Amino acid sequence: MITKAVAVSGSVPDGSLVGQLRRLRRFRRAVYESFTRWPDVLFEMVDALLCHPGRLESLPYLSLEPVLRRGHGSVYAALDRGRIDAAVLAGVLAGVVDRSSGLVFALDCSQWPRPDAPTSPDRTLNYDAGKDVGGGSGVVTPGWWFQWLAATGTSGSSWASPVAVARIAVGENHNVVAVGQIEALLKQVAADRDPDGGDDGGGLVPIVCADGDYSPVYLGGRLTGERVQIVVRLRKDAVVMADPPPREPGTIGRPRVHGPRMKLSDRRSWRDPDEYLAVPAEPGRAAVSVSVWHGMHPRASESAALREPGYRPGYSRPVTRGSVVWVCSADPAYPPMWLFWTGPEGSFDLDRVWRAYLRRYGIEHLFRFLKQYLAWTRPRVRGPEQAERWSWLVAVAYVHLVLARGLIADQRLSWERRRGPLSPLRVKRGFRGLHPRLGSPAKPRKPSRPGPGRPTGHTSIPATRHRIVRPVTKT
C-alpha cells in the first residue's frame, strides 16, 4: 500500500501529483484504444504483469492476479487472436518521452531464444549475449530477433523508455527495419506536442545511437535530409577516407571518390583533428579526451541487402559523409571508442554527441529488466506473431513504470540501501498499491458457459516442423 508519494528527479514535466496521475490515466486510455481485438484481456494482462510480485514463471500465473478478471485460457487466446495497431501504439509510446531530456535514443537488437521449439516458424540463428562466455566466441541460438528503439535521455540512470519494437523477420535486414522505425519516430516527434506544456526538446535535433553491428553508411545515407543525428560505433581497425583533393583543371577521367585513408588502428595515418575537447574528471568517471575529424566517410557495404535503390553494379556508390569521433578515457580499464556521426549541417555538438552515445548502454539495462522482471522471453508461445504482441505488452508495462516514478514511494527491503531516484524494480514493487487509483478502461468479464470440448472421435494432427533459417548478412 502506498503510504507516501515521493517525487523523484527525471519525472514527467508536470511536477504535481495530480498532473502525473492524470497523464498516466490518459496514457492508459490511449493504449487501450490501440488494441483492436481482445482489448480487455490484453489490457488486463499488462496490469496483471505489473501487479505480479516477483518474477513471472509462466503466462497462466497472470490469471491469479485479481486485476485480470479472466481465466488462464484467455491469456493464450488473447495473444493468438488479439490484434494491436503497432503504428498507433508506437505513437503513444513516443508521445510520453520526456523531451526536456534532449531527445536521445538508442537502437539495438535482442534475442528471444527458442532452441527447443521445432514447431515454431521463422526461427533464425542469432547471437545470444546471455551465453557468450567472453572472447568474442559468437554463440548463436535459434530464436526470434527483435529490434528495440528506446529513449535513454541524458540523466545517467538505468531508465530507458521503449518507443518501438519490431521483429526482424526471415529475409529482412535489421538496418532496413531500423530506417523505418526512425522515420516513424521522427514523424511523431515533429507532429506531437506535450499536452501538459512541457519542453519540446529546446530545438535540439534528436540523436539515435547504434552499436557496431549497424551500417553507418546505410543509416546515414537513407536518412539524409531528415532532422536526425545518427551515431554508430566503428570497429577499432576500421578504415575511413577523407574527401579527395580538388581536381586540377584539364584532368580527364572519372573523378576520384576517396581521398587519403585513415586507419583507426594506425596513428601514422591520422591527420590533426579538426576539433578537440578535454573533459575533466567527474564523480564516478575519469577524465576524457574527445577528438573529431570532419569530412570523412567509410566505404559502402557490399551486402546485397543494403544496396541503395537504383544501384547498378560497376558504378560508384554514393558516399555518406560525416565526422569521426575518438573518445579516449584516462581510465585504462575503458579502451578508446570510435564513433561515426551523420546529421544535418550545423547540428553537430561534440560534447552532446559523445555523452549521448554513452547513454546508449542504458538499453542494455532495459533488456535485462524486461527479461528478468517483466518476463519478456519467458512465455513459450508457438508463433512469432504471438511473441510480437507480448513484446508490445511488455513495452507498455515498462512505460507504465516510467510514468509512475513520481507517484510511488520507495518500498525498499530491510537489507537494501536508501536511494534518491527509484529504479524500475522498486517502482514495480509499489504499482500494486497505485493501481486502484488509476482505474481501468477494460470492460468486466461477461458471463459464459464452458464450451463443448473436443468432439468425439476427433484426433489431433501433429504440428508442422520448421527448419532454422540463417539470417541475412548484417553488415
Side-chain angles (χ1 to χ4, degrees):
M1 181 179 297
I2 298 180
T3 57
K4 181 181 180 181
V6 179
V8 298
S9 61
S11 59
V12 294
D14 189 348
S16 66
L17 300 181
V18 175
Q20 297 181 48
L21 189 62
R22 184 185 304 113
R23 188 178 189 186
L24 183 53
R25 288 172 177 169
R26 285 201 305 265
F27 169 75
R28 289 167 60 83
R29 167 57 64 176
V31 168
Y32 179 79
E33 293 175 353
S34 68
F35 299 157
T36 57
R37 291 185 60 184
W38 290 65
D40 303 314
V41 184
L42 293 175
F43 191 86
E44 290 186 353
M45 287 173 61
V46 175
D47 284 346
L49 179 62
L50 290 169
C51 295
H52 181 79
R55 303 184 181 184
L56 184 68
E57 295 296 331
S58 62
L59 287 180
Y61 283 87
L62 293 176
S63 62
L64 301 180
E65 295 298 323
V67 295
L68 180 56
R69 296 168 289 183
R70 275 80 178 174
H72 65 275
S74 298
V75 174
Y76 286 100
L79 291 181
D80 183 34
R81 307 171 193 170
R83 295 294 181 271
I84 298 176
D85 193 330
V88 174
L89 184 54
V92 174
L93 299 183
V96 301
V97 173
D98 185 6
R99 297 167 179 266
S100 62
S101 63
L103 294 178
V104 176
F105 302 89
L107 183 72
D108 204 354
C109 293
S110 186
Q111 157 88 318
W112 184 320
R114 296 292 282 140
D116 301 324
T119 60
S120 295
D122 295 345
R123 291 184 303 156
T124 57
L125 288 176
N126 305 303
Y127 171 71
D128 194 344
K131 294 186 177 181
D132 193 349
V133 296
S137 57
V139 178
V140 294
T141 304
W144 298 309
W145 198 238
F146 282 86
Q147 185 165 256
W148 292 74
L149 182 63
T152 57
T154 56
S155 62
S157 66
S158 61
W159 290 89
S161 180
V163 173
V165 56
R167 181 177 64 90
I168 310 300
V170 174
E172 289 184 334
N173 186 281
H174 64 302
N175 289 278
V176 180
V177 178
V179 170
Q181 289 181 306
I182 296 174
E183 290 176 342
L185 172 66
L186 296 179
K187 293 179 181 179
Q188 180 64 29
V189 169
D192 183 68
R193 290 294 180 267
D194 191 349
D196 291 330
D199 190 1
D200 63 352
L204 298 176
V205 179
I207 298 179
V208 178
C209 304
D211 65 2
D213 193 41
Y214 289 82
S215 171
V217 177
Y218 184 82
L219 294 182
R222 290 297 303 272
L223 296 170
T224 299
E226 299 286 351
R227 183 177 168 81
V228 62
Q229 304 178 64
I230 304 296
V231 184
V232 181
R233 187 167 183 171
L234 297 174
R235 292 172 54 95
K236 61 182 180 181
D237 59 348
V239 177
V240 294
M241 279 71 64
D243 291 336
R247 198 179 188 189
E248 297 181 0
T251 304
I252 62 175
R254 189 175 65 175
R256 294 180 59 184
V257 179
H258 308 298
R261 299 170 71 255
M262 177 179 174
K263 188 174 183 179
L264 305 186
S265 59
D266 185 4
R267 285 179 174 266
R268 296 173 298 179
S269 64
W270 302 3
R271 70 168 193 261
D272 293 335
D274 298 321
E275 292 185 44
Y276 177 79
L277 178 65
V279 182
E282 301 177 1
R285 191 182 66 235
V288 177
S289 60
V290 188
S291 304
V292 61
W293 292 263
H294 297 300
M296 310 296 291
H297 61 270
R299 289 187 182 275
S301 173
E302 296 300 328
S303 172
L306 299 183
R307 290 175 180 170
E308 298 80 1
Y311 166 74
R312 292 183 295 173
Y315 289 80
S316 298
R317 303 180 64 180
V319 298
T320 300
R321 292 178 174 83
S323 302
V324 175
V325 182
W326 183 46
V327 183
C328 184
S329 174
D331 189 347
Y334 299 95
M337 181 172 57
W338 290 94
L339 309 174
F340 186 76
W341 173 93
T342 56
E345 185 177 356
S347 62
F348 182 82
D349 184 343
L350 182 57
D351 187 62
R352 182 172 179 243
V353 167
W354 80 269
R355 292 180 184 273
Y357 193 86
L358 291 187
R359 289 298 307 128
R360 189 204 72 82
Y361 297 98
I363 200 172
E364 304 294 344
H365 296 284
L366 172 66
F367 291 154
R368 184 169 66 93
F369 185 83
L370 296 183
K371 293 181 179 181
Q372 292 186 357
Y373 297 103
L374 292 183
W376 172 38
T377 59
R378 189 66 56 84
R380 295 297 179 255
V381 295
R382 174 174 295 182
E385 296 80 9
Q386 301 171 9
E388 292 178 22
R389 296 184 191 106
W390 177 248
S391 300
W392 279 110
L393 297 185
V394 169
V396 169
Y398 190 94
V399 178
H400 270 78
L401 302 180
V402 174
L403 296 178
R405 283 180 291 179
L407 300 170
I408 294 177
D410 186 6
Q411 299 187 3
R412 65 184 183 90
L413 302 178
S414 58
W415 55 84
E416 294 178 339
R417 295 180 299 176
R418 298 182 182 274
R419 58 189 309 169
L422 301 183
S423 65
L425 178 58
R426 295 198 183 184
V427 176
K428 184 178 182 298
R429 288 177 186 170
F431 195 87
R432 181 192 291 265
L434 175 66
H435 184 268
R437 301 169 54 188
L438 299 177
S440 176
K443 301 179 179 60
R445 176 182 180 182
K446 297 180 180 179
S448 61
R449 294 181 298 177
R454 177 178 296 181
T456 304
H458 176 79
T459 58
S460 60
I461 302 175
T464 304
R465 263 55 177 172
H466 301 272
R467 66 183 182 90
I468 301 172
V469 183
R470 290 187 176 274
V472 176
T473 304
K474 296 183 178 181
T475 57

